[in-house]
Each structure stands twice: as C-alpha cells, then as structure tokens.
Amino acid sequence: IATIGAIVLAIYEEGDYTEAIGVMLFYQIGEWFQSYAVGKSRKNISELMDIRPDYANVERENGQLEKVDPDEVEIGSIIVVKPGEKIPIDGVVVSGTSTLNTAALTGESVPRDAEEGDEVISGCININGLLKIRTTKEFGESTVSKILDLVENASSRKSKAEDFISKFARVYTPAVVFSAIALAIIPPVV
C-alpha cells in the first residue's frame, strides 16, 4: 500500500520516484532482517529439540538394565546414565560421580560436577562417569519436557506489548499512507 501510494505521488508530482524506491528498499531490507531472524530462530529451536532424550536405562531388581521410553519411567525408579548419554529425567544421584555438560539447557559453558546426593536435571549430558539416579519427577514434569513445551507453544502466545503494537499498526500505517496521499493530491491553501 505504501509503495502504491508513493508511486501515485510520484506520478502526480511528475516523475520523482525517490519515495517509492525508498519505501520498496526499506521494505525489502525489513523482509530480509525478518527472514534472517526467523531462520536463526528455527535453527536454535531445532538444536534445542536435540536435548530431548530418546531412552532411559532403567535398572531392574535383578540388576539388569532395560532401555525404555522416558515416558514409561516411574517416580522413584533407578536409572543408569552412561558417559556420553543425556540424563532423561530429573532426579538425585544415588551413586557415582561425573561431570555434566549443561550448556544446552543453561548456556553455561563450564561443565558441572555431580556426585552422590546432588540433584540433576534432564537434558544434561553425562561426560565421563557412570551415574545411578533416583527419579524425582515423571518425564512429563521434567525440566527438559517443560522447556520443550514452552518453546513449542511460544509462537502461539504474544506478549501484551506485541499485541498492542499489532493493533496499533493496523490503524496507524493506513492512516499515515492515506493522509500522505491526500496531502499530495489536495493543493495547499495559501
């Protein structure tokens, strides 16, 4: 609409297309920035989805490990997290010591040590030791599940400021364009 208005003004003022070119140029630059931001957000979200654990090693009463879906693990179960694996469910370390990479969750680049009695959160990567963890939450209530839920639903909710700006722009932008066209068409009263 703004470009059409600028072209109408250019035709009316006999060939000065500077405003029309400026409007189109700024619009294209805005579109490029928006596209770049959306692409970066998609990349970050897809990287974040990598924190979701694929399985949990549950220790059964006979000492055997059973690989199960994290949704099937009950509160109070003992899970075993080997070096290189993600912690699937929040819990407390009951045996073992290790270093945890929490960068995917917290952004903290320095690894964190975990030992018996420490609380650990899902989504962290066990770097070097074997950990046995007693789960304190179900998978649906774990840290990684809550983060993924927030990320997936973030685009459907707008902040109050964003909602206000959208409503304001619906009225303000056409009003400015039409008033600019009207001022260009109606000769000034001297």
Side-chain angles (χ1 to χ4, degrees):
I1 293 174
T3 303
I4 292 170
I7 290 172
V8 168
L9 287 174
I11 292 170
Y12 181 75
E13 293 183 5
E14 299 175 14
D16 186 15
Y17 293 94
T18 309
E19 289 89 3
I21 293 169
V23 167
M24 288 186 289
L25 179 66
F26 288 128
Y27 182 77
Q28 287 301 316
I29 290 172
E31 286 288 316
W32 182 80
F33 278 123
Q34 181 180 354
S35 174
Y36 176 76
V38 167
K40 194 146 177 83
S41 294
R42 282 192 181 131
K43 180 182 171 216
N44 291 340
I45 288 170
S46 66
E47 286 174 3
L48 184 61
M49 293 303 171
D50 288 342
I51 67 172
R52 180 179 166 77
D54 301 322
Y55 61 89
N57 295 315
V58 177
E59 186 176 58
R60 298 298 178 197
E61 291 179 17
N62 60 7
Q64 295 289 83
L65 293 182
E66 183 180 347
K67 197 178 272 193
V68 298
D69 189 281
D71 287 322
E72 298 173 11
V73 179
E74 297 176 6
I75 295 175
S77 298
I78 301 294
I79 57 173
V80 177
V81 183
K82 300 173 186 173
E85 292 182 337
K86 295 174 196 147
I87 297 176
I89 302 168
D90 297 0
V92 176
V93 177
V94 292
S95 74
T97 59
S98 184
T99 305
L100 303 177
N101 179 350
T102 62
L105 295 172
T106 64
E108 178 65 44
S109 61
V110 178
R112 182 187 134 207
D113 292 330
E115 56 189 33
E116 192 173 324
D118 288 348
E119 287 188 27
V120 291
I121 56 176
S122 56
C124 297
I125 299 173
N126 182 8
I127 297 176
N128 58 11
L130 183 76
L131 293 176
K132 289 188 178 184
I133 300 168
R134 180 176 313 279
T135 60
T136 56
K137 296 180 181 176
E138 293 180 349
F139 181 70
E141 294 298 314
S142 67
T143 303
V144 75
S145 288
K146 288 181 179 180
I147 289 172
L148 292 173
D149 183 53
L150 287 171
V151 169
E152 289 170 358
N153 294 322
S155 62
S156 64
R157 291 183 236 138
K158 287 186 176 182
S159 68
K160 289 180 182 179
E162 192 177 8
D163 208 23
F164 171 76
I165 299 267
S166 296
K167 289 177 183 176
F168 182 75
R170 275 188 229 131
V171 175
Y172 176 77
T173 306
V176 169
V177 170
F178 291 125
S179 62
I181 292 171
L183 288 173
I185 295 173
I186 300 170
V189 178
V190 183

